[in-house]
Amino acid sequence: MLEIIKSGGWLMLPILLCSVAVIAICVERLWTLNPRRIAPRTLLGEVWSWLKNNQIDAEKLRELRDSSPLGRIFASGLSNSRHGRDVMKDSIEETASQVVHELERFLGALGTIAAVAPLIGLLGTVLGMIQVFTAIMLEGTGNAGVLAGGISQALITTAAGLTVAIPALMAHRYFQRRVDTIVVTMEQEAVKLVDALHSDRRIEG
């Protein structure tokens, strides 16, 4: 394996760094984007219980804010609920935009790696072919070793770039879909909270 990496030339280094970055981002996002930690299903019922028992105070809001990203959104809305439905919704939307931005952390880098890795491999292909044609121009077609080295470099870097890019693209799509699903869940829970406080509807669950 080490010999294959060496034969790919210096462009194998950025490709290897991209592969390490992809693995690190995937592990971190798998740990972070846990729906049960971000938007606990029991949180809305717990908050509603606090409201019915008039237990909402600064300490409860602080506890709620620190509990989860959905808790931050609820705490922001509850802090402004006395100012009316529209103000409460605006505060929820503002906090939700910050939460979504945090959920999408590193996904841009993952998408960039998926786009750049094949280009790095393509650059390796071009450099390898330049090496081949330069060898042909200087030594003719008799030196098979030099020709094979250039072609090998071209093929290895292309294959390495695609090997990094394909999983990176799949991971990017997967995590983006997971974020979208979590966001929809948080929106539904937030709407239920707003409706419960500013209408006669009752929260179930």
Side-chain angles (χ1 to χ4, degrees):
M1 179 63 70
L2 185 60
E3 291 300 321
I4 294 176
I5 294 174
K6 288 182 178 179
S7 63
W10 63 271
L11 281 172
M12 289 296 291
L13 178 59
I15 293 176
L16 287 174
L17 292 176
C18 286
S19 68
V20 172
V22 168
I23 293 172
I25 291 172
C26 287
V27 171
E28 191 275 339
R29 289 291 88 185
L30 278 173
W31 172 260
T32 302
L33 296 178
N34 184 339
R36 287 178 293 182
R37 293 174 58 246
I38 295 172
R41 293 189 176 276
T42 60
L43 185 61
L44 183 58
E46 186 177 355
V47 171
W48 182 239
S49 176
W50 292 349
L51 287 169
K52 288 193 298 183
N53 297 319
N54 294 319
Q55 294 178 319
I56 297 294
D57 54 18
E59 183 63 30
K60 284 291 187 183
L61 288 177
R62 184 160 50 249
E63 177 185 338
L64 183 61
R65 189 177 296 111
D66 295 338
S67 64
S68 64
L70 181 59
R72 282 174 55 192
I73 294 173
F74 282 175
S76 177
L78 291 171
S79 298
N80 295 278
S81 61
R82 64 184 179 277
H83 299 299
R85 183 187 184 95
D86 291 338
V87 175
M88 183 179 181
K89 286 181 64 177
D90 289 342
S91 63
I92 285 177
E93 290 174 358
E94 181 180 350
T95 304
S97 66
Q98 298 172 2
V99 170
V100 172
H101 180 72
E102 293 173 3
L103 295 180
E104 293 178 339
R105 185 188 305 171
F106 303 131
L107 295 190
L110 200 59
T112 299
I113 291 173
V116 169
L119 297 180
I120 298 176
L122 180 61
L123 178 58
T125 299
V126 173
L127 294 178
M129 297 311 296
I130 289 174
Q131 179 180 334
V132 170
F133 286 114
T134 300
I136 292 175
M137 183 177 63
L138 295 177
E139 304 180 23
T141 57
N143 192 337
V146 174
L147 298 181
I151 295 173
S152 175
Q153 176 180 337
L155 295 177
I156 289 173
T157 53
T158 300
L162 292 174
T163 300
V164 173
I166 293 172
L169 179 59
M170 294 174 64
H172 179 266
R173 296 287 176 85
Y174 170 76
F175 288 123
Q176 190 63 63
R177 177 62 179 170
R178 178 177 283 197
V179 168
D180 291 342
T181 302
I182 293 172
V183 169
V184 169
T185 300
M186 292 194 298
E187 287 178 350
Q188 292 173 343
E189 297 292 282
V191 167
K192 290 179 183 178
L193 180 63
V194 173
D195 286 344
L197 284 173
H198 294 283
S199 72
D200 295 329
R201 291 175 57 183
R202 178 176 177 176
I203 296 178
E204 297 180 356

